[in-house]
Amino acid sequence: AQTVTQSQPEMSVQEAETVTLSCTYDTSENNYYLFWYKQPPSRQMILVIRQEAYKQQNATENRFSVNFQKAAKSFSLKISDSQLGDTAMYFCAFMKDTGGFKTIFGAGTRLFVKA
Amino acid sequence: GAGVSQSPRYKVAKRGQDVALRCDPISGHVSLFWYQQALGQGPEFLTYFQNEAQLDKSGLPSDRFFAERPEGSVSTLKIQRTQQEDSAVYLCASSLAQKRYEQYFGPGTRLTVT
């Protein structure tokens, strides 16, 4: 069975600074997807970034980038130039590529961006 | 176009009552997912539909939980004889069939069982 672990329940960062959220996972699959989702206080879950396991290049989306270490089963999210609107819960998640219906989520990291 | 919508947004039920939660996916999205999110936790998968077919219901916690999608669009999650441990936010997500990795989430229904 797959598991996703986020070891940082809460983090805070000063506006305009950089913060890194950690995630580790466990799987015996070779092909899969990893995700970071953002859930603001309004509760609508939004996809921040996605990484395909077969791709060696780390995914980036504007101020958001990941450090994907397949052998170490590590998938961290870096947020650059943090903005007040980045305040939210962030969930790391996993989905198998073939025959994958379930998305497995971590417990989340609550991020506070301070002015 | 419109996103995924869910109704009601909030539901309070007395223990033992039956509830029905509705999800309207994005038009044209074949895949539909239900998740349960307990307070302070990440979402947990409940069930998956492809069109009207329920292909995976392994996450449903008990036989009191039932989901349907009879015409392949709107889906309803029904919980019978609600219990306090059913209190949670129920999230619905939809996607194109070929892009199950690209799920769009609704705002959720917060169920409180008293």
Side-chain angles (χ1 to χ4, degrees), chain A residues 33 35 37 39 42-45 47 50 91 95 97 99-103 105-107, chain B residues 33 35 37 40-43 45 48 56 58 89 91 100-103 105-107 110:
Chain A
Y33 298 95
F35 312 89
Y37 283 92
Q39 191 175 42
S42 67
R43 304 202 74 85
Q44 193 123 13
M45 191 85 73
L47 178 65
R50 180 180 73 242
F91 294 99
M95 173 188 264
D97 183 0
F101 304 133
K102 289 184 184 184
T103 302
F105 287 82
Chain B
F33 308 79
Y35 298 88
Q37 186 175 20
Q41 297 182 24
F45 170 86
Y48 166 73
D56 189 337
S58 62
V89 175
L91 298 172
R100 291 195 304 274
Y101 52 78
E102 199 168 290
Q103 296 179 29
F105 282 79
R110 180 185 296 277

Side-chain angles (χ1 to χ4, degrees), chain B residues 17-36:
Chain B
Q17 284 184 333
D18 297 349
V19 298
L21 312 180
R22 176 187 170 108
C23 172
D24 283 82
I26 292 172
S27 177
H29 278 195
V30 167
S31 297
L32 187 144
F33 308 79
W34 282 100
Y35 298 88
Q36 179 190 58

Side-chain angles (χ1 to χ4, degrees), chain A residues 11-27:
Chain A
M11 293 191 71
S12 63
V13 63
Q14 206 67 32
E15 193 177 12
E17 293 189 346
T18 295
V19 64
T20 299
L21 308 184
S22 301
C23 173
T24 58
Y25 60 96
D26 190 26
T27 184

Side-chain angles (χ1 to χ4, degrees), chain A residues 62-82:
Chain A
N62 301 312
R63 297 183 295 108
F64 299 88
S65 61
V66 298
N67 183 2
F68 172 49
Q69 301 290 327
K70 191 173 184 179
K73 295 180 182 173
S74 169
F75 183 62
S76 61
L77 174 70
K78 185 170 82 170
I79 306 174
S80 304
D81 186 24
S82 298

Side-chain angles (χ1 to χ4, degrees), chain B residues 4-75:
Chain B
V4 178
S5 61
Q6 293 186 245
S7 60
R9 292 293 313 276
Y10 303 91
K11 177 69 179 178
V12 179
K14 292 188 176 173
R15 190 171 55 183
Q17 284 184 333
D18 297 349
V19 298
L21 312 180
R22 176 187 170 108
C23 172
D24 283 82
I26 292 172
S27 177
H29 278 195
V30 167
S31 297
L32 187 144
F33 308 79
W34 282 100
Y35 298 88
Q36 179 190 58
Q37 186 175 20
L39 187 65
Q41 297 182 24
E44 290 195 6
F45 170 86
L46 292 177
T47 188
Y48 166 73
F49 288 88
Q50 185 168 306
N51 293 306
E52 67 278 4
Q54 189 174 20
L55 299 186
D56 189 337
K57 55 181 181 179
S58 62
L60 296 177
S62 77
D63 58 7
R64 296 186 297 103
F65 286 72
F66 172 78
E68 60 182 6
R69 194 184 185 197
E71 297 179 359
S73 57
V74 172
S75 176

